[in-house]
Coordinates of all heavy atoms in Angstrom, one line a residue:
Chain J
D303 N -11.9 -9.9 24.0 CA -13.1 -10.2 24.8 C -14.3 -9.9 24.0 O -14.7 -8.8 23.8 CB -13.1 -9.3 26.1 CG -14.3 -9.7 27.0 OD1 -15.2 -10.3 26.5 OD2 -14.3 -9.3 28.1
K304 N -14.8 -11.0 23.2 CA -15.9 -10.8 22.3 C -17.2 -10.4 23.0 O -18.0 -9.7 22.5 CB -16.1 -12.0 21.5 CG -15.0 -12.3 20.5 CD -15.3 -13.5 19.6 CE -14.2 -13.8 18.5 NZ -14.5 -14.9 17.7
S305 N -17.3 -10.9 24.2 CA -18.6 -10.5 25.0 C -18.8 -9.1 25.3 O -19.8 -8.6 25.2 CB -18.7 -11.4 26.2 OG -17.7 -11.1 27.1
S306 N -17.5 -8.5 25.5 CA -17.6 -7.0 25.8 C -17.2 -6.2 24.6 O -17.2 -4.9 24.7 CB -16.6 -6.7 26.9 OG -16.9 -7.4 28.1
K307 N -16.9 -6.8 23.5 CA -16.5 -6.1 22.2 C -15.3 -5.2 22.5 O -15.3 -4.0 22.3 CB -17.6 -5.4 21.6 CG -18.8 -6.3 21.2 CD -19.7 -5.5 20.4 CE -21.0 -6.3 20.0 NZ -21.8 -6.6 21.1
Y308 N -14.2 -5.8 23.1 CA -13.0 -5.1 23.6 C -11.8 -5.8 23.3 O -11.7 -7.0 23.6 CB -13.3 -4.9 25.1 CG -12.4 -3.9 25.8 CD1 -12.7 -2.6 25.9 CD2 -11.1 -4.4 26.4 CE1 -11.9 -1.7 26.5 CE2 -10.3 -3.5 27.1 CZ -10.7 -2.1 27.1 OH -9.9 -1.2 27.8
I309 N -10.8 -5.1 22.7 CA -9.5 -5.8 22.4 C -8.4 -5.0 22.9 O -8.5 -3.7 23.0 CB -9.3 -6.1 20.9 CG1 -9.3 -4.8 20.0 CG2 -10.5 -7.0 20.4 CD1 -9.0 -5.0 18.6
S310 N -7.3 -5.6 23.4 CA -6.2 -4.9 24.0 C -4.9 -5.5 23.5 O -4.9 -6.7 23.1 CB -6.3 -5.2 25.6 OG -7.4 -4.6 26.0
L311 N -3.9 -4.6 23.5 CA -2.5 -5.1 23.2 C -1.7 -4.6 24.4 O -1.8 -3.4 24.8 CB -2.0 -4.4 22.0 CG -0.6 -4.7 21.6 CD1 -0.4 -6.2 21.2 CD2 0.0 -3.8 20.5
F312 N -1.0 -5.6 25.1 CA -0.1 -5.2 26.2 C 1.3 -5.3 25.7 O 1.7 -6.3 25.0 CB -0.4 -6.1 27.4 CG -1.8 -6.1 27.9 CD1 -2.8 -6.9 27.5 CD2 -2.1 -5.1 28.8 CE1 -4.1 -6.8 28.0 CE2 -3.3 -4.9 29.3 CZ -4.3 -5.8 28.9
I313 N 2.1 -4.4 26.0 CA 3.6 -4.4 25.8 C 4.3 -4.4 27.1 O 4.2 -3.4 27.9 CB 4.0 -3.2 24.9 CG1 3.2 -3.1 23.7 CG2 5.5 -3.4 24.6 CD1 3.5 -1.8 22.9
R314 N 5.1 -5.5 27.4 CA 5.8 -5.6 28.6 C 7.2 -5.0 28.3 O 7.7 -5.0 27.2 CB 6.0 -7.0 29.1 CG 4.7 -7.6 29.6 CD 4.9 -9.0 30.1 NE 5.4 -9.8 29.1 CZ 4.7 -10.4 28.1 NH1 3.4 -10.3 28.1 NH2 5.3 -11.3 27.2
D315 N 7.9 -4.5 29.4 CA 9.2 -4.0 29.4 C 9.4 -3.1 28.1 O 10.3 -3.4 27.3 CB 10.2 -5.2 29.3 CG 11.6 -4.8 29.4 OD1 11.9 -3.7 29.9 OD2 12.6 -5.5 28.9
S316 N 8.6 -2.1 28.0 CA 8.5 -1.2 26.8 C 9.9 -0.6 26.6 O 10.6 -0.2 27.5 CB 7.5 -0.2 27.0 OG 7.7 0.6 28.1

Side-chain angles (χ1 to χ4, degrees):
Chain J
D303 183 346
K304 288 185 180 180
S305 62
S306 301
K307 298 189 183 67
Y308 192 86
I309 63 173
S310 299
L311 177 71
F312 298 96
I313 307 174
R314 291 183 299 280
D315 187 25
S316 56

